[in-house]
């Protein structure tokens, strides 16, 4: 064991150009893109002001990253497949426990079968995990007191 550790730390680095890792194919250009739309950014700022220092606020969080799935075999993989690629709009994380206490979703106005299934999976998983879900309307203008009340936070908490 000690010999393996010694070899790891004394191994010479690979020469430049000899990497066997991922190489970006030619003809592809990448650029930074905004994480949030303007409306999402405005809502994020309002949520941040409403929760003050009671919660950390994160945006576009994958569902599987904050829900622990306690199951074996096919049941676990089936549930994880349903959760895959589904993300929530905002999570409110308690800074001490680092647990997600609430999820804030922007109401989805599209009613296609994929959106309905996505919403149903998210609601079911959050309910089973005991995580509160708050839905806000994209078309409504919220004030900080509105959001504080909607999130169930009193002003003196």
């Amino acid at each position: 064991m000690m010999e393996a550790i010694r070899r790891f730390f004394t191994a010479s680095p690979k020469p430049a150009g000899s990497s066997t890792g991922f190489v970006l194919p030619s003809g592809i250009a990448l650029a930074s893109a905004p994480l949030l739309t303007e409306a999402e950014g405005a809502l994020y700022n309002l949520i941040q002001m409403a929760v003050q220092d009671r919660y950390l606020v994160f945006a576009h969080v994958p569902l599987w990253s904050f829900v622990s799935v306690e199951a074996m075999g096919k049941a676990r993989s089936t549930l994880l497949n349903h959760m895959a690629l589904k993300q929530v709009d905002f999570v409110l994380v308690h800074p001490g426990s680092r647990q997600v206490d609430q999820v804030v979703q922007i109401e989805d106005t599209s009613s296609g079968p994929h959106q309905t299934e996505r919403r149903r999976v998210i609601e079911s998983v959050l309910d089973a995990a005991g995580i509160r879900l708050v839905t806000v309307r994209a078309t409504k203008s919220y004030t900080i007191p509105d959001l504080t009340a909607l999130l169930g936070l009193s002003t003196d908490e």
Side-chain angles (χ1 to χ4, degrees), residues 43 47 51 55-67 86-94 99-107 118-119 121-127 129-136 147 150-152:
L43 182 57
I47 292 171
V51 302
Y55 289 108
L56 304 172
V57 182
F58 296 96
H60 297 282
V61 180
L63 187 57
W64 59 264
S65 70
F66 63 91
V67 175
K86 294 190 178 54
Q87 65 181 11
V88 297
D89 295 319
F90 303 102
V91 295
L92 305 183
V93 177
H94 187 275
Q99 300 277 38
V100 172
D101 280 351
Q102 296 187 48
V103 167
V104 178
Q105 284 288 94
I106 299 171
E107 185 177 64
R118 175 186 174 276
R119 185 173 52 251
V121 168
I122 289 171
E123 289 171 356
S124 297
V125 168
L126 294 177
D127 184 52
I131 299 171
R132 182 171 184 239
L133 173 63
V134 175
T135 304
V136 295
L147 281 174
L150 193 60
L151 297 171

Side-chain angles (χ1 to χ4, degrees), residues 45-78:
N45 288 334
L46 283 174
I47 292 171
Q48 189 71 51
M49 287 187 275
V51 302
Q52 297 174 9
D53 59 353
R54 291 174 266 197
Y55 289 108
L56 304 172
V57 182
F58 296 96
H60 297 282
V61 180
L63 187 57
W64 59 264
S65 70
F66 63 91
V67 175
S68 174
V69 178
E70 303 293 328
M72 298 298 290
K74 187 155 177 68
R76 185 175 197 282
S77 62
T78 299

